[in-house]
């Protein structure tokens, strides 16, 4: 099992590193996977810093199971259709004729690996391009009985991330200064009915405010903790006369000035949303959303913390699954007896060293 960490560093650069490439012995159930993830976090000292965990759609991932139940029948129909066409040379020829008549780009259908979402996504993406060809093939072949309905094709395209309003992706769009809430208000009516679009827009707004309030509360606790710590230090070294003199009003104006400047009349979130988005004419060619937040961190000290936690969240497990594509490049027939620990050192060490020295990975045949 490979675990990849994603985060934004102090320079507001997006970072990604392989943290673990561990062998999990059978039965490899949910408990064993959970233990391995927690062990990795403990070893790196990040058990209290992890915001989200992105997993693939293997059956032992509870989060993925919840999604699989929604569109598993549709994916099954498309998978069976791809297999049905590829199972016979005559069917492949007939399907190719449909593609040519529709003047579609000549491509081969892709068969997926059931436990790898990225390969399933590629299969679905390819099948969607051949939707009309499948329809024509369905009319010509009386034995082809797994053609998805029109509603099924739509759900295949959107349900993975949008079947239920995906707050994470919506929040990330809002926190892009070139988009803000206008992105959600523009896109949702295209994805949902009018009623559902309005309800989901409200969900995004409520989630944004609720999440921001959590960061405000955490920031307030940190300020109180720092103030309490400094006050205790001062009290331990002061005499009774100094403590008595602190009860007068000599420092009241200074106190008020500090509070009034540190607590703006409106929240950072409201200030950010009320200000207009960056327009095309204002966006440089080398614009980076992270660079913009880095430049505006003093204006939005609390909101920027929330941004730093949300934007690096990966929306798929492709980054981790790619490590399994190393195959013979790391473990060939001459090194198949390497211990799991040695394999982990090779893969993790290689990943960190490449990032450290700016070396890009080059694969044979690519």
């Amino acid at each position: 099992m490979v675990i990849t960490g994603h985060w934004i560093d102090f320079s507001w650069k997006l970072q990604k590193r392989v943290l673990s490439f561990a062998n999990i012995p059978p039965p490899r159930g949910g408990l064993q996977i959970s233990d391995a993830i927690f062990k990795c976090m403990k070893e790196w000292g990040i058990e209290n810093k992890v915001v989200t965990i992105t997993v693939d759609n293997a059956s032992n991932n509870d989060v993925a199971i919840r999604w699989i139940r929604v569109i598993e029948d549709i994916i099954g129909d498309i998978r069976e259709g791809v297999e049905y066409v590829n199972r016979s040379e005559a069917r492949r020829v007939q399907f190719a004729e449909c593609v040519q008549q529709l003047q579609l780009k000549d491509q081969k259908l892709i068969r997926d690996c059931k436990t790898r979402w990225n390969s399933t996504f590629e299969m679905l993406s390819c099948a969607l391009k051949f939707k009309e060809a499948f329809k024509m093939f369905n009319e010509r072949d009386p034995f082809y009985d797994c053609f998805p309905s029109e509603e099924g094709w739509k759900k295949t395209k959107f349900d993975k991330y949008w079947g239920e309003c995906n707050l994470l992706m919506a929040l990330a769009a809002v926190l892009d200064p070139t988009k803000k809430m206008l992105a959600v208000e523009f896109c949702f009516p295209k994805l949902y009915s009018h009623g559902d679009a309005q309800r989901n827009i409200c969900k995004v707004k409520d989630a944004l405010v609720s999440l921001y309030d959590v960061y405000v509360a955490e920031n307030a606790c940190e300020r109180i903790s720092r103030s309490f710590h400094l006050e205790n230090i001062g009290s331990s070294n002061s005499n009774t006369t100094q403590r008595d003199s602190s009860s007068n009003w000599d420092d009241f104006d200074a106190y008020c000035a500090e509070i009034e400047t540190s607590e703006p009349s409106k929240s950072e979130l409201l200030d950010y949303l009320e200000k207009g988005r960056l327009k095309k004419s204002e966006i440089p060619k080398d614009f980076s959303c992270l660079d913009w937040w880095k430049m505006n961190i003093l204006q939005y000290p609390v909101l920027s913390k929330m941004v730093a936690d949300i934007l690096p969240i990966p929306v798929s497990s492709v980054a981790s699954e790619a490590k399994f594509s190393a195959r013979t490049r790391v473990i060939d027939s001459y090194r198949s007896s390497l211990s799991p620990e040695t394999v982990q050192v090779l893969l993790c060490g290689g990943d960190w060293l490449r990032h450290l020295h700016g070396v890009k990975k080059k694969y044979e045949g690519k």
Side-chain angles (χ1 to χ4, degrees):
M1 180 180 74
V2 63
I3 300 176
T4 307
H6 302 253
W7 74 96
I8 292 174
D9 64 18
F10 289 109
S11 299
W12 282 86
K13 300 296 183 183
L14 183 62
Q15 301 290 345
K16 177 186 69 175
R17 300 289 190 279
V18 176
L19 304 180
S20 173
F21 195 87
N23 176 55
I24 301 179
R28 302 185 183 91
L31 180 61
Q32 288 77 19
I33 293 175
S34 175
D35 288 343
I37 292 174
F38 187 73
K39 179 183 177 183
C40 173
M41 291 190 296
K42 288 286 290 184
E43 289 176 345
W44 283 96
I46 58 173
E47 64 271 22
N48 295 320
K49 298 181 179 181
V50 175
V51 179
T52 63
I53 297 178
T54 302
V55 298
D56 63 13
N57 58 336
S59 59
N60 49 9
N61 289 318
D62 292 339
V63 176
I65 287 177
R66 185 171 56 189
W67 164 72
I68 289 172
R69 289 171 182 168
V70 177
I71 60 170
E72 60 181 350
D73 292 338
I74 302 166
I75 293 179
D77 285 342
I78 292 179
R79 182 180 292 126
E80 186 177 344
V82 172
E83 290 180 345
Y84 180 82
V85 171
N86 288 331
R87 203 175 294 141
S88 163
E89 178 65 26
R91 292 174 195 155
R92 286 196 294 270
V93 172
Q94 188 177 13
F95 187 83
E97 291 175 353
C98 295
V99 172
Q100 290 177 358
Q101 288 185 27
L102 293 169
Q103 296 182 345
L104 302 176
K105 187 176 180 180
D106 188 15
Q107 293 182 11
K108 292 183 178 180
L109 293 171
I110 298 176
R111 174 70 166 85
D112 74 327
C113 172
K114 295 181 180 180
T115 60
R116 293 283 179 266
W117 164 247
N118 58 326
S119 70
T120 301
F121 176 79
E122 290 174 357
M123 178 189 73
L124 297 178
S125 298
C126 179
L128 282 168
K129 296 176 183 177
F130 290 108
K131 173 186 171 183
E132 295 302 321
F134 273 113
K135 184 177 181 180
M136 183 180 291
F137 183 78
N138 181 53
E139 295 170 351
R140 296 183 177 186
D141 191 326
F143 299 104
Y144 175 54
D145 59 357
C146 50
F147 180 70
S149 64
E150 186 65 29
E151 184 65 22
W153 285 106
K154 291 180 180 178
K155 289 180 70 67
T156 299
K157 188 172 184 179
F158 294 116
D159 272 14
K160 168 58 182 172
Y161 292 120
W162 298 109
E164 294 180 358
C165 175
N166 191 300
L167 293 175
L168 178 60
M169 296 182 72
L171 293 178
V174 173
L175 296 174
D176 181 344
T178 67
K179 305 289 191 298
K180 299 195 176 183
M181 274 302 301
L182 291 174
V184 175
E185 293 167 355
F186 173 77
C187 293
F188 276 22
K190 298 178 181 293
L191 297 173
Y192 309 107
S193 64
H194 176 75
D196 287 342
Q198 295 305 312
R199 281 191 292 271
N200 287 332
I201 289 173
C202 289
K203 284 183 181 179
V204 173
K205 291 180 178 178
D206 292 343
L208 192 64
V209 172
S210 298
L211 186 59
Y212 173 73
D213 287 343
V214 171
Y215 281 82
V216 170
E218 290 180 351
N219 186 68
C221 290
E222 291 175 2
R223 288 178 58 188
I224 293 173
S225 177
R226 288 195 298 268
S227 299
F228 178 76
H229 176 65
L230 292 174
E231 185 175 331
N232 278 347
I233 293 174
S235 299
S236 64
N237 295 323
S238 59
N239 54 36
T240 305
T241 303
Q242 289 174 319
R243 286 197 298 270
D244 290 342
S245 65
S246 65
S247 62
N248 60 38
W249 292 78
D250 294 344
D251 299 328
F252 179 68
D253 288 340
Y255 168 79
C256 291
E258 179 183 352
I259 296 299
E260 289 168 351
T261 56
S262 62
E263 295 184 1
S265 57
K266 59 182 177 182
S267 72
E268 294 176 20
L269 177 61
L270 186 60
D271 180 74
Y272 168 76
L273 294 176
E274 285 184 350
K275 290 181 177 177
R277 67 178 183 85
L278 295 178
K279 298 177 176 59
K280 284 186 177 180
S281 59
E282 303 171 334
I283 303 174
K285 292 183 178 180
D286 58 347
F287 174 79
S288 166
C289 181
L290 296 184
D291 287 343
W292 187 92
W293 280 104
K294 179 183 179 180
M295 293 172 57
N296 290 272
I297 192 171
L298 295 179
Q299 184 176 359
Y300 303 111
V302 177
L303 187 59
S304 62
K305 292 181 180 179
M306 189 172 87
V307 171
D309 284 342
I310 290 179
L311 293 189
I313 298 174
V315 295
S316 77
S317 57
V318 174
S320 291
E321 291 175 1
K323 299 304 173 185
F324 288 102
S325 300
R327 296 192 306 273
T328 57
R329 292 190 294 270
V330 175
I331 308 174
D332 56 23
S333 58
Y334 299 101
R335 292 184 283 181
S336 59
S337 61
L338 292 176
S339 69
E341 292 77 13
T342 303
V343 173
Q344 177 170 232
V345 169
L346 289 172
L347 286 169
C348 293
D351 182 72
W352 281 80
L353 288 171
R354 277 188 293 273
H355 282 90
L356 180 63
H357 298 288
V359 178
K360 292 186 178 181
K361 208 169 186 180
K362 292 184 179 179
Y363 297 143
E364 293 181 5
K366 290 190 177 181

